Amino acid sequence: MNKNKRWFRLDNAAKLYPAVATSRWSSIFRVSVELSEFIDPAILQQAADLVLPRFPALKVRMKTGLFWYYLEEIHAPLSVRPDQGHPCMPFSYAQDHGYLLRIFFYQKRISAEFFHSLTDGSGGLVFIKTLATQYLRLRGYDVKFDQGALHPSDSPDPKEMQDAFMHMPLPRVRRVRRESRAYHFPATPEIPHTLHTIAASIPCDQLLEKARALGVTLTEYLTGVILFTAYTEQEKSPGKGRLPIRVSVPVNMRNFYDTPTLRNFSSFINPFIDPRLGDYTFEEIVRDVHAFMRYHLNPKLLCATIATNVADEKYLLIRLAPLFIKNLVIGSVFRRTGDRAFTSTLTNLGPVKRPTGAEELIRRFEFQLGSPALPLCNCACLSTGNELRLVFSSNIRESTLPREMLRFLVEKGVEITVESNKEE
């Protein structure tokens, strides 16, 4: 460890990702902002140089210790690059001075990709807002550093870099984490490093009207649509064997605990249906999702899940085990469970407000998950103004989930515009 450089421990959630990463897959996500004018790369580079020092926990490289990975400060600048090829490619520790963050530009869009050990979607959104605000100010626009955008000249709050999991009132009770194997759509895996993206723009008011008619939230409604789509597809398959259908829904713990941390601070809940119990209607599924999420979106239950992970980290034998042993154990557990327990993932960052003065300059924000570990299709969404941007990410050739899910919404009377990086 270089004593002349600042270093950070990985937060509790971050420890998983380097242990299970391979040359073909690692957990990466992308946050983007689309402006009303074309990007000037030189000004974007100036903005990145000004903004990055405000985020010390992002200006780091991954280092290997005897017992744990850790993050070491990087003094070199990060170069912005044209957005080419497939999104969310695995990071190479030997490139870009070891940065686990990338900044891209394409026409009117600025994108930032993050290795999940650095931060979660909420932290990534703060960074892209700050970067976009600084860029627009350099272009001469009077845009305020507000609505989540941080001022680059402010000193970073130490609490922004803390492992918030370690400051929670965790109970002694532990929750069993094991989930049974879930149904997966029939899929043909793509060649490595291929990520198909289908982005749907949906009027928020139309979707909220459908959700409110059933007395549920937008997230609950979309989760119900995913479950119903998978249920319908599984019922088409021959044979009587049926598997549970389960959607992993990340939960932003900042909604329950006031913390300015910009590192990982999320848990998850897993709404499901079990077709072995009988037939389901869409309305029944949505009611079940609503009841499940109302019960499990409880800080006591969420903390019990997190307490299990924190307790594992503090267990003496685990702490004393060399890093290569930890990697073998974590990798083995992840391969046996991990994405096998989920049909899909739905991440919703919610409504995103534009900084003051940028209402006409920022067209939309967008959030995209990287490639799943198994051949799957995952979903991520957020809304800017009255536009919900729903992005499907998959490493498979089939487009069954996005096609059938969007078809279902259109049949319900929702207007949808679709873009894709797929050739057909």
Side-chain angles (χ1 to χ4, degrees), residues 121-373:
S122 296
L125 188 58
V126 171
F127 177 80
I128 200 71
K129 275 190 177 184
T130 304
L131 179 62
T133 301
Q134 181 63 76
Y135 172 83
L136 290 169
R137 288 173 66 89
L138 290 174
R139 291 299 302 260
Y141 295 108
D142 183 18
V143 180
K144 307 299 182 184
F145 286 104
D146 60 8
Q147 304 295 353
L150 304 178
H151 202 297
S153 65
D154 292 342
S155 298
D157 184 342
K159 292 183 179 179
E160 293 173 3
M161 296 168 273
Q162 75 178 8
D163 181 356
F165 292 109
M166 295 299 182
H167 297 270
M168 298 174 64
L170 298 177
R172 294 184 178 181
V173 67
R174 308 288 182 257
R175 299 193 73 194
V176 177
R177 292 172 296 189
R178 184 180 297 277
E179 300 270 17
S180 62
R181 184 165 66 96
Y183 168 75
H184 287 179
F185 288 90
T188 306
E190 271 289 7
I191 60 175
H193 308 317
T194 299
L195 185 66
H196 294 305
T197 299
I198 296 176
S201 293
I202 306 172
C204 280
D205 54 358
Q206 294 184 13
L207 202 56
L208 283 170
E209 180 185 357
K210 305 302 177 185
R212 288 168 179 164
L214 295 175
V216 301
T217 67
L218 190 148
T219 300
E220 292 166 350
Y221 187 84
L222 289 176
T223 302
V225 176
I226 296 174
L227 289 170
F228 183 70
T229 300
Y231 167 73
T232 302
E233 289 302 310
Q234 185 171 207
E235 290 302 301
K236 296 178 183 177
S237 60
K240 297 182 179 180
R242 292 292 180 266
L243 290 171
I245 301 167
R246 190 176 294 112
V247 177
S248 181
V249 181
V251 178
N252 185 359
M253 295 303 295
R254 298 170 185 83
N255 295 330
F256 302 96
Y257 298 97
D258 185 19
T259 172
T261 186
L262 297 177
R263 304 181 76 185
N264 288 290
F265 196 41
S266 302
S267 186
F268 57 89
I269 57 177
N270 307 318
F272 74 99
I273 60 170
D274 191 342
R276 295 171 297 185
L277 300 178
D279 297 333
Y280 286 85
T281 64
F282 171 67
E283 290 73 17
E284 182 182 4
I285 289 175
V286 171
R287 287 196 301 269
D288 287 352
V289 169
H290 175 71
F292 184 97
M293 295 183 72
R294 291 304 91 195
Y295 176 76
H296 287 87
L297 281 175
N298 177 314
K300 292 184 174 62
L301 295 178
L302 292 168
C303 282
T305 300
I306 294 170
T308 305
N309 299 331
V310 173
D312 287 348
E313 180 182 338
K314 293 181 177 180
Y315 188 50
L316 184 60
L317 289 179
I318 292 178
R319 291 175 59 191
L320 295 179
L323 182 59
F324 77 93
I325 297 294
K326 291 186 177 79
N327 287 345
L328 289 173
V329 173
I330 294 173
S332 175
V333 172
F334 182 78
R335 285 189 294 272
R336 291 200 313 269
T337 56
D339 286 349
R340 297 183 186 278
F342 309 112
T343 304
S344 186
T345 295
L346 174 65
T347 302
N348 184 5
L349 292 187
V352 180
K353 295 182 179 180
R354 304 173 180 92
T356 302
E359 291 84 0
E360 302 300 323
L361 301 170
I362 292 178
R363 182 184 176 193
R364 66 160 70 102
F365 292 93
E366 186 174 283
F367 181 47
Q368 177 179 358
L369 299 176
S371 177

Side-chain angles (χ1 to χ4, degrees), residues 1-8 56 59-61 63 70-76 97:
M1 185 183 303
N2 190 330
K3 296 183 179 180
N4 296 321
K5 295 181 178 180
R6 183 165 22 175
W7 64 278
F8 304 91
K59 199 173 170 59
V60 292
R61 61 170 63 90
K63 301 292 286 186
Y70 66 95
L71 300 171
E72 182 185 72
E73 181 182 17
I74 299 175
H75 293 309
H97 307 288

Side-chain angles (χ1 to χ4, degrees), residues 28-35 39-41 44-45 48 78-91 95-96 100-114 127-128 131 135 368:
I28 299 169
F29 64 89
R30 168 182 284 218
V31 185
S32 304
V33 57
E34 185 176 332
L35 306 183
I39 305 300
D40 184 322
L44 178 60
Q45 184 65 63
L78 173 63
S79 298
V80 304
R81 295 186 288 178
D83 196 356
Q84 299 172 337
H86 286 270
C88 298
M89 297 281 285
F91 282 91
Q95 293 180 346
D96 296 327
L100 303 174
L101 161 69
R102 304 185 187 107
I103 300 175
F104 294 114
F105 61 89
Y106 175 74
Q107 295 185 355
K108 301 178 182 181
R109 186 180 66 223
I110 303 170
S111 300
E113 293 182 350
F114 304 83
F127 177 80
I128 200 71
L131 179 62
Y135 172 83
Q368 177 179 358

